[in-house]
């Protein structure tokens, strides 16, 4: 139903950030939007928040409306209500957290339950800058992504590694579909 908002020239696309609390969804979005990283105290997102950012793909202006969800379990019902309007999902885990990686399967089950059938999904292994605390190998992320047929990248909301690239890949895919 929301496919109508994704049409030829000026496209608006709804992208949702998903993943366990603390994986870096809000930081990832702030890095993309403002080019900044706020280290220090972790402030968990409450409910849902959104930011817009324009990107240009092959000369076409694409407005990304990015929904930043709360990873905490108690806000899950709020997130569920937004799934069906999303055209793309960025699903994050933290390469220093085994539980956040193990929970990716549960996230994908939830996605299949609540999201549009043709939603664009990208799996991201975030916090790639903290290599000395790494517990999930890049190959493990790749293997999981291949199993579900989704693209995969390692990223860092801190250094900005692959942050813009991930959003541009999403925008490009949605532009091609529009
Ligand atoms: P919820 O809102 O509870 O779902 O969490 P979140 O996924 O939005 O996590 P958030 O962006 O708030 O980041 C959690 C903590 O991890 C913060 O202390 C961030 O500074 C830190 N962090 C996020 N991304 C990175 C990263 O790429 N590298 C490093 N080193 N730290 C990160
Ligand atoms: Mg957050």
């Amino acid at each position: 139903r929301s496919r109508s908002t994704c049409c030829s020239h000026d496209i608006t696309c709804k992208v949702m950030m998903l993943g366990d609390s603390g994986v870096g969804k809000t930081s990832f979005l702030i890095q993309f939007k403002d080019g900044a990283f706020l280290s220090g105290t972790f402030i968990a997102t409450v409910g849902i928040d959104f930011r817009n950012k324009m990107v240009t793909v092959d000369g076409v202006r694409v407005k990304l409306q990015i929904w930043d969800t709360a990873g905490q379990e108690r806000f899950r019902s709020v997130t569920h209500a937004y799934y069906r309007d999303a055209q793309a999902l960025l699903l994050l885990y933290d390469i220093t957290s085994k539980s956040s990686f193990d929970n990716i399967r549960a996230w994908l089950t939830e996605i299949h339950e609540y999201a549009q059938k043709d939603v664009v999904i990208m799996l991201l292994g975030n916090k790639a800058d903290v290599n000395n605390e790494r517990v999930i190998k890049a190959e493990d992320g790749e293997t999981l992504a291949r199993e579900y047929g989704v693209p995969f990248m390692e990223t860092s909301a801190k250094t900005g590694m692959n942050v813009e690239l991930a959003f541009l890949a999403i925008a490009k895919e949605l532009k091609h579909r529009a």
Side-chain angles (χ1 to χ4, degrees), residues 1-16 50-55 57 60-67 85-88 116 170-178:
R1 57 194 268 281
S2 48
R3 183 48 38 90
S4 57
T5 56
C6 235
C7 57
S8 61
H9 46 274
D10 244 11
I11 313 172
T12 299
C13 296
K14 294 197 178 88
V15 183
M16 211 158 75
F50 87 95
R51 303 273 213 116
N52 288 334
K53 179 148 170 157
M54 296 294 304
V55 294
V57 179
V60 173
R61 281 157 54 83
V62 178
K63 181 173 155 190
L64 295 176
Q65 189 178 96
I66 308 152
W67 295 88
D85 287 331
Q87 279 122 14
Q116 295 182 45
I170 288 284
K172 198 164 186 148
E173 175 64 24
L174 292 173
K175 186 236 159 198
H176 286 318
R177 289 182 175 204

Side-chain angles (χ1 to χ4, degrees), residues 62 108 127 145 154 175:
V62 178
L108 286 161
K127 306 198 188 180
E154 282 200 345
K175 186 236 159 198

Side-chain angles (χ1 to χ4, degrees), residues 2-3 5-6 11-19 25 28-29 32 48 51 55 62-69 79 82-92 108 111 114-124 150-151 165-177:
S2 48
R3 183 48 38 90
T5 56
C6 235
I11 313 172
T12 299
C13 296
K14 294 197 178 88
V15 183
M16 211 158 75
M17 316 275 308
L18 295 173
K25 300 177 296 296
F28 195 88
L29 182 50
F32 179 55
I48 197 156
R51 303 273 213 116
V55 294
V62 178
K63 181 173 155 190
L64 295 176
Q65 189 178 96
I66 308 152
W67 295 88
D68 179 23
T69 70
T79 308
Y82 290 88
Y83 270 96
R84 60 175 186 188
D85 287 331
Q87 279 122 14
L89 306 171
L90 286 181
L91 178 57
L92 280 75
L108 286 161
I111 287 165
Y114 294 100
Q116 295 182 45
K117 291 277 166 286
D118 60 347
V119 71
V120 173
I121 304 169
M122 184 176 275
L123 180 66
L124 304 176
V150 301
L165 199 68
F167 281 110
L168 284 175
I170 288 284
K172 198 164 186 148
E173 175 64 24
L174 292 173
K175 186 236 159 198
H176 286 318
R177 289 182 175 204

Side-chain angles (χ1 to χ4, degrees), residues 17-31 37-47 68-73 75-76 92 94 96 107 125-131 133 155-161 163:
M17 316 275 308
L18 295 173
D20 281 8
S21 179
V23 297
K25 300 177 296 296
T26 300
S27 306
F28 195 88
L29 182 50
I30 289 172
Q31 178 61 252
F37 177 75
L38 307 169
S39 45
T41 4
F42 161 36
I43 303 164
T45 302
V46 171
D68 179 23
T69 70
Q72 286 179 24
E73 200 84 43
F75 299 115
R76 234 26 90 70
L92 280 75
D94 169 355
T96 73
W107 279 107
N126 192 43
K127 306 198 188 180
D129 59 284
V130 269
N131 218 5
E133 288 170 43
T155 60
S156 169
K158 185 174 183 175
T159 67
M161 180 184 113
V163 171

